[in-house]
Amino acid sequence: MSFPHDWRDLQIALALREHGSLSKVAALLDVSPSTVSRRLDGLEAQIGSPLFDRHTTGYTLREEGAYLLDALGPVPDFVHEWQRRLANRRDASLQTVTITAPALLLMEFSALVPRFMQAFPSWRLVLLEEDRVEALHRSEADIALRVMRQPDEDLWGHLV
């Protein structure tokens, strides 16, 4: 017996357990009934045991199928939640901009914050009072406002 390689096969088996009909599962998952049948056959071949008895009126879960699907039933929900958390973490990091500047520059820059928030309402702006360029090197900030003629050669800058 090998473990299923595709979570969609497990999703099909779980949906078939719940609905008992290829056509209902096909409509639910927006695939053809033949796709549901083919994927179920592949899953059963992969694990080396039939999960369902086939009848003219539908599918009924076998004892072996019940054991496996009861044990693995929460897995697709767990995988979906895990993917959602990863996406949210990625989205949050993309939507947060950290700006570091000396106190005097931050006071001047703070007048622009309402316009920035209006232009980018889903973003979170973090302002840090920091004089050292090392904040960028340590990835503590995305943007550093500094008073200097030329940034260090490993930094990129604009004269404002």
Side-chain angles (χ1 to χ4, degrees):
M1 175 176 143
S2 69
F3 194 76
H5 295 284
D6 193 330
W7 292 115
R8 291 172 295 184
D9 294 344
L10 181 56
Q11 181 184 23
I12 284 172
L14 290 167
L16 194 55
R17 174 179 69 174
E18 183 177 338
H19 298 285
S21 158
L22 286 181
S23 58
K24 287 181 184 176
V25 171
L28 177 73
L29 300 177
D30 196 28
V31 296
S32 70
S34 63
T35 298
V36 173
S37 178
R38 186 178 66 254
R39 293 195 72 133
L40 178 63
D41 290 344
L43 174 64
E44 290 175 330
Q46 197 174 27
I47 63 173
S49 176
L51 301 175
F52 295 89
D53 287 321
R54 281 108 167 124
H55 309 284
T56 55
T57 57
Y59 284 62
T60 57
L61 197 57
R62 297 177 66 142
E63 185 178 342
E64 301 89 349
Y67 180 77
L68 178 67
L69 295 180
D70 286 347
L72 296 178
V75 171
D77 290 336
F78 175 79
V79 170
H80 177 72
E81 175 64 17
W82 176 70
Q83 289 171 332
R84 187 189 64 77
R85 285 185 182 196
L86 282 179
N88 285 345
R89 199 163 69 193
R90 269 188 245 120
D91 290 347
S93 68
L94 291 174
Q95 294 177 349
T96 300
V97 177
T98 302
I99 298 175
T100 162
L104 187 59
L105 285 178
L106 278 181
M107 287 174 34
E108 292 297 319
F109 183 75
S110 65
L112 300 174
V113 170
R115 287 179 46 203
F116 180 89
M117 296 311 295
Q118 187 176 16
F120 304 99
S122 65
W123 287 27
R124 190 176 126 216
L125 185 61
V126 177
L127 301 176
L128 299 175
E129 181 182 340
E130 175 78 56
D131 288 334
R132 297 173 296 141
V133 174
E134 290 82 25
L136 287 175
H137 292 296
R138 292 188 313 262
S139 299
E140 293 175 354
D142 301 302
I143 300 170
L145 302 176
R146 299 292 182 258
V147 178
M148 60 178 61
R149 288 243 178 253
Q150 182 67 36
D152 293 346
E153 63 184 50
D154 59 333
L155 296 176
W156 181 71
H158 277 293
L159 182 61
V160 181

